[in-house]
Amino acid sequence: MTAKEYGIKCIKDEAEALLELIPKMDEEFDRAVELMFRCHGKIIVTGVGKSGHVGAKIAATLSSTGTPSFFINPLDVFHGDLGVMTSDDVVLAISNSGQTDELLRFIPMVLQMQIPIIAMSGNAQSLLAKYADCHLNVSVSREADPLNLAPTSSATAQMVMGDALAVALIKKRNFQPQDFAQFHPGGELGKRLLTTAQDVMRTVDMPVISPEMHLGEAVIHVSKGKLGLGIAEQDGRIVGLITDGDIRRAMERWQAQFFDHTVADIMTTRPKMVTPQTKITDIQSIMNKYKIHSVLVTDDAHHLLGVVDHYSCMV
């Protein structure tokens, strides 16, 4: 087999291992989700070695989706980290064998503090499973590596089970995109969900025209504005909007008589307007719905404050 073929086989083997998890999803999963949902403290995720690396990722995913969590190495518990745990917490302990010595030495402390334990292992008969309040079975028939030794399929199964917990909790908490943004203010999604019209709108050199202006002059203003539109104002209030598309259609319709007409003859009298506080994600929805490339930002009295176009939303 070539290297590529070995790689493809690995992916197929791990995919099959994941599908094997589905029949093992029983009432224990529901109990685990309920324990985590009812938790008034934190979800403390723990594990050793590869399971520890997976646990750190699971803790990060839970925290970013509305379930306060953090990872703790069971070895550190013996050196002071036990102080971060309270009886309001829930422990998610991960071990493929369920017999990891360092993890099992940590369990009596958790039991003494009467903290609920959710075990995730590939051995339903293990000591870890025995002492847990509920057990998530992530056993796999074999690892994906040729030696059947390296934690490959088993680590992937743990990772996916952690995602399954997080997704179930997202639905149970009715976690929304704006909630996600609060936990990811520095990421692209967070930026898009938190950015408002006033953060990106153009406020200078507005292509403002009057309804009585002849179209020949209006074309010059639209061109100079470089927004593909002209905003018709009367007594300081917006009364209409023309776009380069409106101008093009008017030229095709009236041809030589085009210059005899005014802005009022072709303007849209009810342009789409938003407030400065409107999120850009909502603005994008408006643009997609009405197939437009710009919206006007106004105050309550329809005074122009700025313009947000398609490119402004690409933060």
Side-chain angles (χ1 to χ4, degrees):
M1 294 174 65
T2 65
K4 176 181 177 182
E5 289 170 334
Y6 278 119
I8 292 173
K9 184 179 184 303
C10 175
I11 293 172
K12 287 183 176 179
D13 288 346
E14 294 203 22
E16 290 174 4
L18 295 182
L19 292 176
E20 291 174 4
L21 292 181
I22 296 176
K24 300 166 188 170
M25 299 281 284
D26 53 18
E27 64 277 0
E28 293 288 279
F29 182 83
D30 292 327
R31 290 177 60 192
V33 171
E34 192 64 23
L35 273 174
M36 297 170 82
F37 179 70
R38 299 294 178 189
C39 177
H40 296 296
K42 305 165 293 297
I43 307 300
I44 299 174
V45 187
T46 186
V48 179
K50 301 297 189 298
S51 294
H53 295 307
V54 171
K57 186 272 178 188
I58 292 174
T61 299
L62 289 170
S63 290
S64 68
T65 52
T67 301
S69 311
F70 66 89
F71 174 78
I72 185 171
N73 189 314
L75 297 176
D76 294 332
V77 171
F78 302 102
H79 301 281
D81 281 7
L82 189 64
V84 303
M85 297 172 57
T86 72
S87 57
D88 289 330
D89 299 332
V90 170
V91 166
L92 172 60
I94 307 171
S95 167
N96 185 40
S97 68
Q99 301 288 128
T100 307
D101 182 63
E102 298 92 336
L103 191 59
L104 291 178
R105 285 192 284 128
F106 167 53
I107 296 302
M109 303 178 191
V110 180
L111 294 174
Q112 186 176 10
M113 297 178 68
Q114 297 184 323
I115 297 175
I117 300 173
I118 301 169
M120 183 188 297
S121 83
N123 184 0
Q125 306 305 317
S126 64
L127 285 174
L128 178 61
K130 177 182 177 181
Y131 288 106
D133 293 82
C134 57
H135 177 254
L136 301 175
N137 190 343
V138 290
S139 60
V140 297
S141 55
R142 64 168 287 115
E143 299 290 0
D145 79 289
L147 302 177
N148 192 29
L149 293 174
T152 47
S153 295
S154 59
T156 302
Q158 293 171 355
M159 187 87 72
V160 170
M161 186 61 76
D163 287 342
L165 290 170
V167 168
L169 287 164
I170 286 173
K171 295 301 292 183
K172 200 169 181 66
R173 296 185 192 283
N174 192 30
F175 198 74
Q176 298 298 313
Q178 56 268 28
D179 300 316
F180 190 87
Q182 296 293 335
F183 292 96
H184 299 76
E188 180 180 352
L189 177 61
K191 188 184 297 184
R192 288 168 57 82
L193 290 170
L194 297 176
T195 303
T196 62
Q198 66 183 354
D199 296 323
V200 299
M201 66 184 184
R202 174 173 162 181
T203 58
V204 296
D205 297 329
M206 292 289 96
V208 175
I209 54 181
S210 69
E212 298 81 16
M213 183 180 291
H214 281 88
L215 290 178
E217 185 180 354
V219 168
I220 298 174
H221 284 271
V222 170
S223 178
K224 285 183 177 180
K226 297 181 180 180
L227 286 171
L229 54 80
I231 306 158
E233 283 190 353
Q234 199 165 50
D235 298 327
R237 298 178 71 251
I238 298 169
V239 293
L241 178 79
I242 64 171
T243 66
D244 48 8
D246 295 328
I247 294 171
R248 184 179 63 256
R249 287 185 289 272
M251 294 180 76
E252 292 173 351
R253 177 183 177 185
W254 291 317
Q255 297 185 15
Q257 286 75 43
F258 170 81
F259 295 98
D260 297 331
H261 291 271
T262 65
V263 169
D265 294 329
I266 66 169
M267 71 182 186
T268 299
T269 57
R270 299 182 65 182
K272 301 305 175 191
M273 294 182 275
V274 300
T275 69
Q277 290 74 40
T278 304
K279 300 287 194 300
I280 62 169
T281 49
D282 295 329
I283 293 174
Q284 287 177 313
S285 296
I286 294 172
M287 291 180 181
N288 292 333
K289 180 178 181 180
Y290 294 101
K291 295 180 173 57
I292 56 178
H293 61 76
S294 301
V295 296
L296 307 182
V297 185
T298 67
D299 59 18
D300 294 337
H302 288 181
H303 296 131
L304 180 66
L305 301 176
V307 175
V308 175
D309 63 7
H310 170 75
Y311 297 104
S312 302
C313 294
M314 297 172 66
V315 296

